[in-house]
């Protein structure tokens, strides 16, 4: 057994997020295009020397006070499921270094769980087949299977069914984080409230989006970005409206709420363009935001880095 394994855990964005009528199980059918971005948490595992798992979480520029460190933590759940699958009775000591905003709509918790699976599989040398890793990931959360794969991919079902997308190009994202996180379940509930008794149509992926990705066309991609949860997220956080407008008025190719929010995303041409958008957002005194980060995309999913 190795002494220590470190895995990288990239954040995700949804280039389009189509949401349908709530299902009987409480989840919503999705038609989404995921993209993994170069903003990373890091998950380290070592043998604990006892049967219990232990977790500590350190924030690097993000507030981690809301992250549970007990059995409800998704990365610890991932460890427990994988251990049960292989009959491993050795506990792990896990350290998560967080740079992805907590409850920000960037799948921070999901990607930590994916990285925990990858890291423990390497630590225990259990060589779990890919399809079994995906099955465990799907039990943990709708976004977790994508976080294993990374790149650019289409998500269906409740988001857990993932197929790689034909995509070219290299993209720059400007990411405006919010000091206050937002519950995903709460945003979906707001989505349901907004639709009332009206039947929500089947979600689809816009043709223009797929065509922009095939061509690696950043301007076309910017125009095609969509998020069916955006209106619900903005009802809960109306102050984000101005942030999106300022980005768009200052040359971003596209602007949208990240997943269920409250993080906001702006698509840029390259580093200089990203810096220009960043500058504009910082100039506006009324814009509501915490920090502004840059990330390049797409990047691979959770993987062992040390
Ligand atoms: O799958 P995950 O545990 O990440 O989902 C968190 C919450 O988001 C769910 O409990 C559910 O309320 C909502 N959700 C949903 N439809 C989806 C994915 C998530 O309603 N497709």
């Amino acid at each position: 057994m190795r002494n220590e394994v470190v895995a990288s855990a990239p954040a995700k964005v949804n280039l389009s997020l189509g949401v349908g009528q709530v299902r009987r199980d409480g989840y919503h059918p999705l038609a989404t295009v995921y993209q993994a971005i170069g903003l990373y948490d890091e998950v380290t595992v070592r043998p604990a020397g006892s049967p219990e798992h232990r977790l500590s979480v350190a924030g690097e520029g993000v507030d981690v006070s809301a992250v549970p460190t007990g059995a409800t933590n998704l990365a610890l759940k991932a460890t427990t499921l994988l251990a049960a699958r292989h009959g491993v009775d050795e506990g792990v000591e896990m350290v998560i270094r967080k740079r992805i905003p907590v409850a920000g709509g960037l799948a921070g918790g999901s990607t930590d769980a994916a990285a925990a699976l990858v890291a423990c599989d390497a630590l225990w040398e259990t060589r779990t087949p890919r399809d079994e890793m995906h099955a465990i990931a799907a039990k943990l959360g709708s976004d977790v299977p994508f976080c294993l794969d990374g790149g650019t991919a289409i998500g269906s079902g409740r988001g857990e069914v993932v197929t790689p997308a034909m995509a070219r190009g290299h993209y720059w994202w400007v990411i405006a984080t919010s000091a206050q996180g937002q519950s995903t379940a709460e945003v979906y509930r707001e989505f349901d409230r907004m639709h009332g008794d009206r039947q929500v149509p089947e979600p689809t992926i816009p043709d223009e989006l797929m065509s922009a990705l095939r061509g690696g066309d950043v301007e076309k991609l910017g125009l095609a970005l969509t998020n069916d949860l955006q209106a619900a997220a903005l009802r809960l956080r109306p102050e984000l409206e101005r942030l999106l407008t300022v980005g768009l008025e200052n040359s971003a190719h596209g602007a949208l709420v990240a997943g269920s929010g409250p993080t906001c995303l702006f698509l840029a041409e390259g580093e200089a363009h990203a810096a220009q958008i960043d500058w504009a957002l910082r100039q506006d005194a009324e814009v509501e935001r915490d920090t502004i980060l840059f990330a390049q995309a797409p990047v691979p999913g959770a993987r062992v880095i040390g």
Side-chain angles (χ1 to χ4, degrees):
M1 201 194 287
R2 299 205 212 175
N3 288 331
E4 179 178 287
V5 175
V6 185
S8 63
K12 67 92 184 124
V13 298
N14 301 83
L15 305 178
S16 74
L17 179 53
V19 181
Q21 179 73 32
V22 63
R23 307 190 313 203
R24 278 165 181 269
D25 64 2
Y27 284 92
H28 294 71
L30 301 186
T32 187
V33 180
Y34 292 114
Q35 185 166 74
I37 65 170
L39 169 65
Y40 299 96
D41 285 351
E42 210 176 82
V43 176
T44 303
V45 291
R46 300 181 197 102
S50 69
E52 291 84 41
H53 302 304
R54 286 197 299 271
L55 170 64
S56 60
V57 183
E60 293 187 4
V62 297
D63 177 10
V64 294
S65 56
V67 180
T69 52
T72 56
N73 183 283
L74 214 52
L76 277 192
K77 280 190 186 169
T79 305
T80 305
L81 285 184
L82 192 69
R85 160 68 185 77
H86 294 290
V88 173
D89 50 16
E90 168 72 34
V92 298
E93 188 187 319
M94 180 182 294
V95 179
I96 304 180
R97 266 180 256 285
K98 287 206 75 69
R99 296 185 201 106
I100 305 172
V102 177
L106 298 169
S110 301
T111 193
D112 294 347
L117 286 178
V118 168
C120 289
D121 195 45
L123 185 75
W124 299 329
E125 297 174 347
T126 36
R127 296 186 179 80
T128 313
R130 203 77 196 156
D131 57 341
E132 282 187 37
M133 289 286 257
H134 271 92
I136 297 173
K139 282 192 193 146
L140 291 162
S142 310
D143 295 336
V144 186
F146 170 72
C147 294
L148 282 176
D149 289 357
T152 306
I154 293 169
S156 56
R158 61 176 224 280
E160 87 285 17
V161 183
V162 188
T163 351
M166 277 270 285
R168 267 208 294 253
H170 182 81
Y171 303 98
W172 279 74
W173 291 97
V174 177
I175 303 161
T177 73
S178 180
Q180 188 69 45
Q182 185 149 281
S183 147
T184 302
E186 182 55 39
V187 177
Y188 275 104
R189 276 197 293 275
E190 186 63 28
F191 174 90
D192 293 339
R193 271 195 291 272
M194 286 174 74
H195 285 84
D197 294 335
R198 279 174 293 130
Q199 178 75 21
V200 184
E202 277 292 299
T204 55
I205 290 168
D207 288 340
E208 318 84 77
L209 184 92
M210 296 314 290
S211 137
L213 280 174
R214 279 193 300 274
D217 185 328
V218 63
E219 280 184 45
K220 245 169 95 175
L221 182 65
L223 292 172
L225 299 170
T226 59
N227 180 356
D228 285 354
L229 288 182
Q230 181 157 313
L234 290 177
R235 284 251 297 222
L236 298 172
R237 300 289 289 273
E239 70 277 11
L240 298 176
E241 195 97 56
R242 180 170 179 91
L243 174 64
L244 293 172
T245 307
V246 170
L248 279 176
E249 282 173 354
N250 285 278
S251 81
H253 286 314
L256 84 174
V257 169
S260 54
T263 305
C264 288
L265 304 166
F266 305 90
L267 184 60
E269 193 93 43
E271 191 169 10
H273 188 202
Q276 186 185 331
I277 297 165
D278 172 32
W279 187 84
L281 296 177
R282 284 174 203 281
Q283 293 316 298
D284 192 300
E286 283 164 53
V287 150
E288 185 75 26
R289 47 125 191 118
D290 185 20
T291 52
I292 300 179
L293 309 167
F294 294 171
Q296 299 180 61
V299 298
R303 54 182 47 202
V304 171
I305 52 170

